[in-house]
Amino acid sequence: MALGPAPWLGPLLLASLWGLSAPASLLRRLGEHLQRLQESSGPRLHLGPGAAALPRAGWLEQPLDPFNASDGRSFLQRYWVNDQHRAGQEGPVFLHLGGEGHLGPGSVMAGHPAALAPAFGALVISLEHRFYGLSIPSGGLGMAQLRYLSSRHALADVVSARRALSRLFNVSSSSPWICFGGSYAGSLAAWTRLKFPHLIFASVASSAPVRATLDFSEYNDVVSRGLASVAIGGSLQCLAAVSAAFAEVERRLRAGGAARAALRAELRVCGSLREAEDQAELLGALQALVGGAVQYDGQAGTPLSVRQLCGLLASRGNGSHPVPYGGLRRAVQIVTHSLGLRCLSLSRAETVTQLRATKHQASGLGDRQWLYQTCTEFGFYVTCKGPGCPFSQLPALPSELDLCEQVFGLSASSVAQAVAQTNAYYGGQRPGATRVLFVNGDTDPWHVLSVTQALGPSEPALLIPGASHCLDMAPERPSDSPSLRSGRQNIFRQLQTWLRQANQGQLPRGA
């Protein structure tokens, strides 16, 4: 058990001032931005004199290779603890799993599971994912190190952390452990219960994309429906305006010369836009900007909601007709300013150079690590197919797969094989795990890779109308919709039922 960080753990670069490349990069920064804002909006504790400060950070010494007992190497994994509401040694433990990014003190203070802890007398702990945030092993991020980065390694960390934390906080052997997580971490929460039912009593998996997929064209299908949805501020006119704006971008790219130069300045592009691959970087970033408005619609701190984006695209220029491109340009200004970004996109060559950097300070928010996980486990490459997609028809999938080759030397066939192996190992959208509550919003493009309908009496699912990505995990707000409030009540009731049955001894631990 370690008491503090090792000396090589320098300060994490919390904000990247360089530009963005693939859609995943912009969406990750947007998600990180919202997570920090939402965590900082959590309740503040007013403690009396002499009271211990909450929440508290700690460090666990974890094996670098948990699957090889003869390998003595280790790393320090950060966790946070909030025992303000703990009712006793036999109360439940709510374990919030971190995903592909930094995990801060707000993870045990704001949103789920902190909001549920008082009602159940729960001890709340969060665990940062290996190779992200400050939980980065010494030795850099070269390929020899990254072989120890995977969801399977993360699950092994949960198992050893559960043992260590039980001893450290004197948790009773009869205390039920409940895992919580959102997005990739939501998948981890579900898989932890699937693989270790004797250790994890139940899980709440929010917006969990449990089906890995190489070509994620369904993402933009949901984005298109969101842009056209009157319920969240969209319209068919808005969808058409997005299509018109992207057509204008592509027209200017083809025109070259002054038109392309003006485009580069207006859309805050650091790359030259001379090469086709650099143009694809720009179009990918613009797709992510629009997709992000749908994915995080209605969340506190989001730069643009669907309603706001559609309002910009429908705004009128000097003439009497809307100028969609002008609205898209304004949207770029708003998003880059909100995220503190100097550029919307870089040249492809610069992107590759940055992703090849093996020092963890140079990797910003974990772009290299997450790209590695997509190349070796998940895919998740967003593409645009069919006449209904309002974005570029450029072949994004070959471009993404080429990034795996350029950065890590991984072939397209190996990536496809890795995705298939992930689904075979975890079961895709039919994982077969009992006492896992899958929670999704139908506005979230990722819900199509999750479980949205109950698979059995002990495999429940909840689909919240109008809710975006991980919205159920966000702190409550007065403006929350009735459907969101109802969804959170359903989560509470499900946990109440499971924990009541556990207390009455009606369920075997591994059932």
Side-chain angles (χ1 to χ4, degrees):
M1 185 73 60
L3 298 178
W8 48 263
L9 283 172
L12 180 69
L13 297 182
L14 300 182
S16 173
L17 297 181
W18 40 268
L20 306 171
S21 53
S25 186
L26 180 57
L27 289 173
R28 278 170 38 71
R29 275 163 177 72
L30 182 55
E32 181 86 4
H33 168 75
L34 295 180
Q35 176 185 323
R36 293 186 181 281
L37 288 177
Q38 291 171 3
E39 287 183 354
S40 66
S41 69
R44 298 291 183 267
L45 295 181
H46 302 285
L47 302 173
L54 289 174
R56 301 191 301 275
W59 299 85
L60 297 174
E61 185 172 358
Q62 296 274 42
L64 180 64
D65 185 357
F67 307 117
N68 181 3
S70 64
D71 189 337
R73 291 175 297 171
S74 63
F75 74 101
L76 295 180
Q77 186 171 29
R78 182 168 59 169
Y79 66 88
W80 295 92
V81 179
N82 177 3
D83 60 5
Q84 180 192 21
H85 305 293
R86 188 182 187 186
Q89 295 178 0
E90 296 186 353
V93 179
F94 289 172
L95 181 61
H96 181 182
L97 301 182
E100 69 281 21
H102 163 93
L103 199 64
S107 59
V108 294
M109 296 300 298
H112 276 148
L116 294 165
F120 296 105
L123 171 66
V124 183
I125 304 174
S126 65
L127 185 68
E128 192 168 64
H129 196 295
R130 60 166 56 206
F131 283 87
Y132 292 102
L134 294 185
S135 300
I136 299 182
S138 59
L141 298 172
M143 288 293 285
Q145 285 283 98
L146 290 179
R147 60 185 293 216
Y148 304 110
L149 169 61
S150 74
S151 59
R152 299 185 196 191
H153 286 89
L155 297 190
D157 289 339
V158 174
V159 172
S160 57
R162 184 196 183 284
R163 288 199 302 265
L165 293 168
S166 291
R167 292 192 300 268
L168 184 62
F169 295 102
N170 198 22
V171 177
S172 170
S173 60
S174 63
S175 294
W177 286 65
I178 314 291
C179 278
F180 292 78
S183 197
Y184 162 54
S187 298
L188 292 177
W191 295 335
T192 305
R193 168 63 187 165
L194 171 69
K195 298 299 184 180
F196 305 103
H198 59 296
L199 298 176
I200 302 302
F201 179 75
S203 291
V204 178
S206 298
S207 299
V210 289
R211 173 168 64 92
T213 183
L214 196 65
D215 188 340
F216 191 16
S217 61
E218 300 105 315
Y219 183 96
N220 279 324
D221 294 339
V222 180
V223 169
S224 296
R225 291 199 297 271
L227 294 172
S229 172
V230 176
I232 60 173
S235 65
L236 290 175
Q237 292 76 15
C238 178
L239 181 61
V242 170
S243 182
F246 273 75
E248 176 63 14
V249 171
E250 293 193 65
R251 185 193 70 77
R252 295 189 183 200
L253 288 173
R254 289 192 301 269
R260 186 184 297 167
L263 182 76
R264 179 175 178 269
E266 292 168 355
L267 299 184
R268 301 193 177 191
V269 179
C270 287
S272 69
L273 294 181
R274 285 190 297 268
E275 302 295 330
E277 59 184 10
D278 298 338
Q279 296 176 19
E281 292 283 286
L282 169 62
L283 289 167
L286 290 172
Q287 287 184 42
L289 182 149
V290 175
V294 176
Q295 178 170 319
Y296 293 107
D297 180 67
Q299 300 203 23
T302 186
L304 286 174
S305 65
V306 170
R307 188 177 304 279
Q308 291 167 329
L309 176 64
C310 290
L312 290 174
L313 292 166
S315 63
R316 302 180 184 278
N318 296 328
S320 59
H321 300 290
V323 183
Y325 171 76
L328 182 62
R329 175 185 175 186
R330 178 59 180 149
V332 169
Q333 294 172 345
I334 292 172
V335 171
T336 54
H337 176 75
S338 296
L339 301 183
L341 298 169
R342 181 171 57 91
C343 304
L344 181 69
S345 70
L346 293 169
S347 71
R348 177 68 167 213
E350 289 177 273
T351 295
V352 170
T353 297
Q354 291 181 347
L355 288 170
R356 282 176 173 169
T358 58
K359 290 184 178 180
H360 75 274
Q361 291 93 339
S363 65
L365 300 177
D367 289 337
R368 176 175 168 84
Q369 298 97 298
W370 182 240
L371 176 64
Y372 178 79
Q373 287 198 262
T374 66
C375 295
T376 57
E377 292 191 87
F378 305 123
F380 294 154
Y381 304 125
V382 174
T383 63
C384 186
K385 290 183 176 179
C389 182
F391 306 120
S392 168
Q393 298 293 320
L394 288 174
L397 183 58
S399 176
E400 293 284 1
L401 292 174
D402 186 58
L403 205 55
C404 295
E405 174 74 44
Q406 288 183 280
V407 177
F408 301 116
L410 299 171
S411 67
S413 61
S414 74
V415 179
Q417 184 179 12
V419 168
Q421 289 175 342
T422 296
N423 287 329
Y425 184 71
Y426 292 121
Q429 287 174 291
R430 299 191 69 87
T434 59
R435 287 205 300 275
V436 175
L437 174 59
F438 287 94
V439 185
N440 286 279
D442 65 3
T443 298
D444 177 21
W446 293 92
H447 83 270
V448 298
L449 301 182
S450 189
V451 177
T452 57
Q453 293 183 332
L455 300 177
S458 60
E459 301 175 73
L462 177 63
L463 185 62
I464 304 175
S468 55
H469 193 62
C470 296
L471 185 57
D472 61 288
M473 300 185 71
E476 295 182 5
R477 294 193 296 164
S479 59
D480 288 341
S481 68
S483 61
L484 178 58
R485 292 177 185 275
S486 175
R488 289 193 177 120
Q489 290 170 0
N490 287 335
I491 296 171
F492 174 83
R493 284 193 290 266
Q494 182 64 80
L495 287 175
Q496 191 176 46
T497 297
W498 282 338
L499 289 173
R500 183 187 302 117
Q501 292 171 337
N503 292 335
Q504 295 172 352
Q506 297 178 12
L507 292 171
R509 184 65 57 188

